[in-house]
Amino acid sequence: MQRLFKFCYRYALLVILAILALTGYSLWQAKELTVNVSTDSLIPADSPLRLEYERVTDEFGSDQLALIYVEDDELFTEAKLTTLRDLSKQLKALPQVQRVESLFTVNDIRSVNGWVDTSPLLRKIPSHPEKLGDKQSQAIDNPLMLRSIISEDGNATLITLYLKPYEEIVEEREEAAREAGVEPEPLDKGDYDKLIYHGIQEILLGQNEVPAPTLPPGAEKLDPALQEKILASRSNNVIQPLDYRTQFDRVFQVGSPALHVLMAQYIFDDMSVMLPLACLILVILLGVMLRSVQCAIIPVINFIISTAFTGAMMVYFGVPLSMLTYIVPALILIIGATEDVHILNEYRMAKAEGQTGEGAVAYIAQHIGLTLFLTGVTTSMGFAVTGISDLAIMQEFGIVAAIAILSRFLVSLTFLPAWLRIFGRFIKPAQTKEGDEGKDRLCDKVARFLEHKLIPQPRNVLLAFIAIALPCVILIPKIRVSNDLIGFLKPDSEIVQQLDLVAEKLSGSKVIYITFYGSENEFKKHQSLRQLSALSDWLRADERVDTVTSVADYIALVNQAMTGGDIANRNIPENDSLIAQYLVFFHSSDLQPYVANKFGMANVVLRSNISDSSELNQLVADIREALNSGQYGSHRYKVTGKSVMVASAVDRIINGQVISLTSMTALLFAIVGLLFLSTRAASLAVLSNLFPVVMVFGVMAAFGVTLNVGTCMVAAITIGIAVDDTLHMMVRYNKELKRLKNEHLAILSSVKAEFYPVLTTSLGLAGGFVILGFSSFVPVMQFGLLSALVMILALIADVILTPVLLSTTRLITLWDVLGFNLRKALIERSVMFEGLTKWQAKKLILLANLEEREIGEYVVREGEVGDSMYVIIDGELEVSKKIDGNRIILSRLTLGDVFGEVALISDIKRTADVTATTDTRLLRLNWSELENLQRYNPFLSSRLFLNLSRILGQRLKSSLERIESPAPFPTRTPFKSRSRMQRPKDGPK
């Protein structure tokens, strides 16, 4: 990290120019970004319903609808109906329309003068008001029309456009291009929706172009005068553009294209509001807390660069802007600013300590380089694991967000050092302005509160947090799950209110197909048709269902007409031959949506306005239960539809939530465990960061917030973000431990140093996430507000729970062990390290207290009471004692020797002086440190106690031998293990 920082600092101008050039290229690429808000992204690619859905729609037609709602108190007048017919004709002419259902197309089956008439209700529009009233009554009485075509009061009607599939339109365009000998213009899903929506909207507003009349084939050979008559006749039949909003009380379009286009517009509206607002709040917050305009502006510059890179990468990978990916720029701004704050804060501290230029940049890398790397990895992975989902919308978001955060991290590591080379001199050192005393007082108050109230009782603190989280754990199973496109929108949005109005007066836009499979002509038989009719009656009685239509309804209406119009005979006749005769009244296109495969397949079509996917899933489950009961026959069946596929994906959301949260927790545990070489430290970090997540899940359950594609991201993402402050605290604690050699002092010093940066970043993140609460999309709004809540809860956990738990442990890092130079001879010579590998010996030394002594410095003094023993890690010492006024050197101690061990178990006075004869490093152990080590690492402590017992045994043996010896003070240490010194190299280590 130091090399990267120094390189970017030395070649600042080159780095800045390169980044700016790459930014310009990225912006040029990003203009190719597309928008896609279709329901396809909410359906798993491997959905078992997909193949069946495609087969059903191939046979019976599309279930994707565009609905034109028309309401007028005088709807059934000649003028209004004529205008409505013209509108229906214009809509039918749109190339994307597969078929149209309206007052002018749906069969009105009734008896007329002893004959059965199955023609459309308004094949001809009568002029007499009384006849128009009869037509209105007939429409309301017709089950094929009521609520699907005409409202119960007769004042509102729907023109339903069944749309061609996107793939079919693409094929038609390619075929037309081939015939014309040109390249087909590309058409993505978003453009397809726009094509339909704007085509309908232009007709409604009277802005559509009227095609000039053309002569039929061969007419160019006719007399010119006759040609003019033909053109004039065709001109008279052309419907002139008309603003239909002025012709009816109310007219508008709803359905899939309108929903998708308006949601795309909401995306751009949101971005135009949220990004400037987030920038403003960030600049103000950082400017106030860091007291530097430049420090407040730098994160915004880095945000612009990173967003450009991300946009280019989205184009490269073919990822569109969706209901989730559009918030990535805001996340880049919100999350990326935290790393900039840490870098700038360290730069100011470096300047305060007298570091300038390249030295200040090296200071940053030395102090937080490792933490920056880890937080960049964990945050990127937090977003990446959200892509572990079967839903395309989640996969795309996970990929884009991970790339975005990673690019933002790289920009901070490269652009920021280069920026500091040029403009860093204008950034003032830390604590140079008045008011910092207030900040210090706040940090001191927090540290004192921890010192006196919480740190002395870690178990009680942990139990308190568990007691707070436990009710939330109990509530978690009550969280509802939703996966519905309409559910993305707020209830007061215009499109939702229009959909609700259509559903209230007529029927919803959700289509469900119940498809039955039988043998050829199976659904010409009265028994099968009666089962379909019974099922339809049962479904119509369900208030969740708006309309139900099947071939049985057509047969029943013909039977009623054939028996004089008596409604009591609106049923299925028992004679199969009679049913076959009834079917002659219909053209194949009339029944195409309801029967196929030579009457071997039958389709029951439901319409509903259920916007809650859990409720829709329950309806589907109830239908399947009824069909499985056998009361409606034993035919094989499938319940399909795009809305059914979307709703069924709620299980994938739950699975994705479990997988992403588990993956992020495991990743966090692995990273912290590897970094600090301790499962205890890993468990501590996981515990601190799971607490806010559990609390938020409890809040979701308590307040009825659904688990959807937005809220299911909160857990994994916020763990990846919140762990940044935890890692900063842990790395700081590790450094303070090396300096202070005391857990309590180290944690208090860490809190004082990290509290203000943690407070700044947490409030900045929370404030940034609150901005997402202004989104037009409910899942994004919920994601923003819940993430803000997590940041506040994580702040509490990082300031209270993390320090309290850290105070009970001692941390060393992987880099500490790798960088610690331990001579192999020490392991071979010292009894203290017997049975330990070199790696374990390093951990043992670093977990204990390592002290240094200069030449001539005393380690212990004769007569003072001691409580510690020492092991020589490097250097030499001499043991001396005054005897009869003369200082006598008793022995010389070297690498691996142990001394002072008796004081470890007994408060006795030292019997001699021990002085360093070279610069020396010593391992110091007292009883409390041994007890702590037993908690930190039971295995190492068990080996240490075993070796210590051997040393004490050897000490006792040597003491007994000295008692019997005529020379009580030998010239060499009596407790050194000769056998260890003479042991061959291939012996135990």
Side-chain angles (χ1 to χ4, degrees):
M1 193 67 74
Q2 283 196 36
R3 292 181 179 179
L4 177 62
F5 271 41
K6 288 180 178 180
F7 175 86
C8 295
Y9 186 85
R10 290 171 186 169
Y11 303 98
L13 187 59
L14 179 63
V15 170
I16 289 175
L17 289 176
I19 291 176
L20 291 179
L22 188 57
T23 302
Y25 174 77
S26 298
L27 288 172
W28 179 72
Q29 288 288 317
K31 62 183 176 59
E32 302 296 328
L33 267 174
T34 58
V35 181
N36 182 15
V37 291
S38 72
T39 54
D40 291 340
S41 62
L42 300 174
I43 302 172
D46 63 344
S47 171
L49 298 174
R50 186 179 290 274
L51 289 177
E52 192 64 33
Y53 168 77
E54 292 174 353
R55 179 184 177 186
V56 168
T57 51
D58 285 344
E59 293 286 352
F60 299 106
S62 170
D63 65 340
Q64 295 302 288
L65 312 179
L67 308 174
I68 290 77
Y69 176 83
V70 179
E71 183 179 358
D72 197 287
D73 290 340
E74 298 180 350
L75 182 63
F76 272 78
T77 60
E78 183 180 14
K80 297 290 184 182
L81 290 176
T82 301
T83 304
L84 185 65
R85 181 183 59 189
D86 292 343
L87 172 60
S88 181
K89 287 181 178 180
Q90 286 182 301
L91 293 169
K92 186 177 180 180
L94 290 172
Q96 299 83 21
V97 174
Q98 192 176 76
R99 65 186 178 92
V100 177
E101 283 185 358
S102 70
L103 290 169
F104 310 96
T105 62
V106 174
N107 302 84
D108 179 46
I109 305 167
R110 62 184 53 254
S111 175
V112 179
N113 299 324
W115 293 89
V116 176
D117 186 0
T118 61
S119 61
L121 174 75
L122 294 174
R123 183 177 54 182
K124 293 182 179 179
I125 300 174
S127 57
H128 196 279
E130 185 177 346
K131 291 185 177 181
L132 287 169
D134 292 341
K135 290 292 184 182
Q136 186 180 42
S137 299
Q138 291 174 24
I140 295 171
D141 182 58
N142 191 332
L144 301 178
M145 295 187 184
L146 184 61
R147 297 206 67 187
S148 60
I149 302 294
I150 190 77
S151 63
E152 293 178 351
D153 61 8
N155 293 332
T157 186
L158 272 184
I159 301 175
T160 303
L161 309 181
Y162 288 80
L163 305 173
K164 294 178 182 178
Y166 163 76
E167 294 76 13
E168 184 177 336
I169 292 296
V170 171
E171 290 178 4
E172 290 179 358
R173 289 166 65 93
E174 291 176 348
E175 180 65 27
R178 280 195 296 269
E179 292 178 357
V182 297
E183 286 291 325
E185 294 183 8
L187 180 73
D188 59 42
K189 285 283 184 71
D191 290 336
Y192 174 61
D193 289 324
K194 287 180 185 177
L195 205 62
I196 299 170
Y197 173 79
H198 290 300
I200 295 172
Q201 205 65 13
E202 286 174 359
I203 292 173
L204 295 180
L205 300 178
Q207 298 173 349
N208 55 311
E209 295 182 4
V210 178
T214 57
L215 291 170
E220 63 275 359
K221 298 178 180 179
L222 300 175
D223 181 74
L226 186 56
Q227 290 182 18
E228 289 182 6
K229 288 183 179 180
I230 294 173
L231 290 173
S233 175
R234 289 199 163 194
S235 297
N236 292 334
N237 292 327
V238 172
I239 301 172
Q240 296 301 317
L242 182 66
D243 187 349
Y244 289 98
R245 296 174 304 172
T246 63
Q247 305 301 308
F248 303 101
D249 294 341
R250 185 179 293 170
V251 59
F252 55 80
Q253 67 163 311
V254 290
S256 298
L259 184 63
H260 296 163
V261 171
L262 291 177
M263 290 182 81
Q265 185 59 49
Y266 289 152
I267 286 176
F268 291 111
D269 291 344
D270 277 2
M271 293 179 69
S272 65
V273 172
M274 289 193 303
L275 289 180
L277 186 58
C279 286
L280 179 62
I281 289 177
L282 184 67
V283 168
I284 293 173
L285 180 65
L286 296 183
V288 170
M289 301 194 78
L290 298 178
R291 298 191 179 96
S292 170
V293 174
Q294 186 180 170
C295 289
I297 293 175
I298 288 174
V300 177
I301 297 173
N302 287 348
F303 150 72
I304 295 171
I305 296 171
S306 306
T307 302
F309 292 167
T310 303
M313 294 302 291
M314 289 176 69
V315 172
Y316 177 80
F317 286 108
V319 178
L321 280 174
S322 69
M323 289 88 71
L324 294 184
T325 56
Y326 89 97
I327 67 172
V328 169
L331 295 176
I332 294 173
L333 177 64
I334 296 165
I335 298 168
T338 61
E339 301 307 330
D340 291 340
V341 168
H342 283 293
I343 292 174
L344 293 169
N345 187 59
E346 289 295 326
Y347 181 76
R348 294 170 71 234
M349 291 179 67
K351 294 188 73 173
E353 294 182 13
Q355 298 283 351
T356 58
E358 191 173 310
V361 171
Y363 178 96
I364 297 172
Q366 179 183 357
H367 282 74
I368 62 170
L370 173 61
T371 314
L372 287 174
F373 173 77
L374 291 174
T375 55
V377 170
T378 55
T379 305
S380 297
M381 290 303 299
F383 283 96
V385 295
T386 62
I388 305 176
S389 171
D390 296 320
L391 305 184
I393 190 171
M394 297 293 296
Q395 294 170 357
E396 292 170 352
F397 176 82
I399 293 171
V400 171
I403 291 173
I405 297 302
L406 189 59
S407 67
R408 181 66 174 81
F409 170 67
L410 293 175
V411 168
S412 293
L413 297 185
T414 54
F415 185 77
L416 197 46
W419 175 279
L420 292 175
R421 168 69 184 273
I422 300 174
F423 301 102
R425 61 182 180 274
F426 300 112
I427 298 177
K428 294 186 177 181
Q431 299 183 350
T432 58
K433 293 186 177 182
E434 295 181 1
D436 284 328
E437 295 81 1
K439 178 185 75 175
D440 292 339
R441 284 196 297 272
L442 178 61
C443 295
D444 288 339
K445 285 182 179 179
V446 172
R448 283 197 299 272
F449 176 75
L450 289 170
E451 180 182 10
H452 297 296
K453 300 293 184 181
L454 302 181
I455 289 179
Q457 43 186 347
R459 181 172 297 180
N460 291 341
V461 172
L462 180 59
L463 289 175
F465 273 82
I466 292 174
I468 294 170
L470 189 59
C472 296
V473 174
I474 297 172
L475 286 172
I476 287 175
K478 297 182 180 180
I479 297 177
R480 293 170 50 251
V481 188
S482 179
N483 185 43
D484 186 80
L485 192 63
I486 297 175
F488 268 78
L489 298 173
K490 297 177 181 178
D492 60 350
S493 60
E494 183 182 11
I495 185 69
V496 173
Q497 290 181 341
Q498 289 176 342
L499 284 167
D500 289 342
L501 174 63
V502 172
E504 179 186 350
K505 299 280 286 187
L506 292 129
S507 64
S509 58
K510 298 285 181 67
V511 179
I512 300 175
Y513 286 163
I514 307 175
T515 307
F516 294 92
Y517 300 86
S519 58
E520 187 175 324
N521 294 321
E522 176 68 28
F523 296 101
K524 286 184 177 180
K525 299 176 181 178
H526 75 279
Q527 183 178 0
S528 297
L529 290 173
R530 283 192 170 187
Q531 290 167 348
L532 289 183
S533 180
L535 174 64
S536 298
D537 291 340
W538 176 74
L539 290 169
R540 289 190 185 101
D542 193 319
E543 60 182 11
R544 295 170 295 181
V545 178
D546 293 334
T547 63
V548 183
T549 309
S550 72
V551 66
D553 297 310
Y554 284 77
I555 300 299
L557 286 170
V558 174
N559 192 56
Q560 177 185 357
M562 291 293 291
T563 56
D566 187 355
I567 195 171
N569 293 319
R570 187 183 290 179
N571 50 39
I572 306 298
E574 294 185 5
N575 190 316
D576 290 346
S577 299
L578 189 59
I579 291 173
Q581 295 177 33
Y582 286 174
L583 290 170
V584 175
F585 288 101
F586 302 103
H587 189 272
S588 59
S589 61
D590 296 332
L591 300 179
Q592 187 267 337
Y594 309 108
V595 288
N597 197 24
K598 298 181 179 179
F599 286 85
M601 294 173 63
N603 198 33
V604 180
V605 182
L606 282 67
R607 294 261 292 270
S608 175
N609 192 48
I610 297 175
S611 58
D612 184 281
S613 53
S614 296
E615 187 178 347
L616 186 60
N617 281 333
Q618 186 58 53
L619 172 61
V620 172
D622 292 344
I623 292 171
R624 287 174 176 154
E625 182 180 359
L627 293 174
N628 291 337
S629 69
Q631 59 181 317
Y632 303 112
S634 57
H635 298 100
R636 185 170 66 89
Y637 71 91
K638 290 289 183 181
V639 182
T640 59
K642 187 158 283 189
S643 57
V644 174
M645 288 193 292
V646 171
S648 67
V650 293
D651 291 339
R652 307 298 182 95
I653 291 179
I654 297 173
N655 293 340
Q657 174 72 99
V658 172
I659 293 172
S660 63
L661 184 55
T662 304
S663 301
M664 193 61 218
T665 302
L667 179 68
L668 173 59
F669 187 90
I671 289 176
V672 176
L674 178 63
L675 173 63
F676 294 102
L677 302 174
S678 169
T679 57
R680 181 186 177 92
S683 301
L684 183 154
V686 168
L687 186 63
S688 294
N689 287 278
L690 280 182
F691 168 76
V693 172
V694 170
M695 291 295 295
V696 164
F697 280 148
V699 170
M700 290 174 62
F703 290 91
V705 179
T706 60
L707 186 68
N708 51 45
V709 293
T711 56
C712 76
M713 301 186 300
V714 172
I717 289 175
T718 50
I719 284 180
I721 299 170
V723 74
D724 292 2
D725 290 329
T726 305
L727 288 173
H728 277 284
M729 183 71 75
M730 295 177 77
V731 171
R732 173 73 69 173
Y733 175 60
N734 169 252
K735 293 178 179 178
E736 294 299 320
L737 269 175
K738 295 176 186 176
R739 183 173 69 88
L740 299 171
K741 314 296 183 183
N742 181 277
E743 289 84 353
H744 284 196
L745 293 178
I747 197 61
L748 293 175
S749 179
S750 301
V751 169
K752 290 180 180 179
E754 292 294 331
F755 174 75
Y756 204 70
V758 168
L759 179 66
T760 302
T761 54
S762 297
L763 293 180
L765 286 166
F769 279 121
V770 166
I771 299 303
L772 298 180
F774 293 95
S775 171
S776 301
F777 300 120
V778 173
V780 173
M781 176 190 71
Q782 293 170 338
F783 166 73
L785 296 179
L786 290 174
S787 296
L789 177 60
V790 170
M791 292 299 105
I792 299 301
L793 292 170
L795 171 63
I796 296 171
D798 281 329
V799 172
I800 297 177
L801 185 60
T802 301
V804 170
L805 295 180
L806 278 178
S807 68
T808 65
T809 189
R810 177 163 289 203
L811 299 181
I812 59 171
T813 67
L814 175 64
W815 315 120
D816 291 335
V817 177
L818 292 174
F820 185 65
N821 184 22
L822 187 65
R823 293 163 61 181
K824 185 178 180 181
L826 175 65
I827 309 298
E828 296 174 347
R829 287 172 58 90
S830 180
V831 179
M832 184 61 75
F833 302 113
E834 186 172 356
L836 299 179
T837 64
K838 187 175 182 180
W839 181 268
Q840 291 169 338
K842 283 185 176 184
K843 286 186 64 177
L844 173 61
I845 294 169
L846 291 169
L847 282 170
N849 282 327
L850 192 64
E851 296 184 352
E852 295 183 357
R853 296 289 191 274
E854 296 179 355
I855 297 176
E857 189 174 354
Y858 282 95
V859 179
V860 300
R861 288 181 178 272
E862 182 181 357
E864 68 182 10
V865 178
D867 64 352
S868 301
M869 65 171 287
Y870 297 88
V871 182
I872 301 175
I873 304 303
D874 202 6
E876 295 182 359
L877 299 94
E878 67 177 18
V879 182
S880 62
K881 183 179 178 65
K882 277 190 176 183
I883 300 177
D884 298 330
N886 298 317
R887 180 163 294 279
I888 298 175
I889 297 175
L890 303 178
S891 64
R892 297 188 184 278
L893 307 178
T894 58
L895 183 71
D897 286 339
V898 178
F899 63 94
E901 66 275 15
V902 175
L904 181 67
I905 58 175
S906 177
D907 293 334
I908 62 173
K909 293 182 179 180
R910 302 287 189 182
T911 59
D913 292 330
V914 180
T915 312
T917 56
T918 65
D919 289 340
T920 305
R921 288 190 301 169
L922 301 166
L923 172 63
R924 180 175 66 84
L925 292 170
N926 58 35
W927 199 253
S928 64
E929 288 165 352
L930 287 173
E931 289 178 338
N932 288 338
L933 183 62
Q934 193 173 23
R935 294 198 307 268
Y936 309 152
N937 197 311
F939 172 76
L940 288 181
S941 65
S942 66
R943 296 299 309 177
L944 186 64
F945 278 117
L946 177 60
N947 293 337
L948 182 58
S949 65
R950 290 173 177 171
I951 292 171
L952 292 173
Q954 180 66 28
R955 172 68 173 176
L956 177 60
K957 178 182 177 183
S958 299
S959 297
L960 292 173
E961 290 175 351
R962 255 200 332 271
I963 292 173
E964 301 173 356
S965 171
F969 300 109
T971 57
R972 294 191 59 83
T973 178
F975 47 85
K976 179 174 261 188
S977 175
R978 304 279 184 180
S979 60
R980 289 274 295 175
M981 295 175 64
Q982 298 168 3
R983 189 176 56 212
K985 292 183 179 180
D986 59 352
K989 303 291 184 182

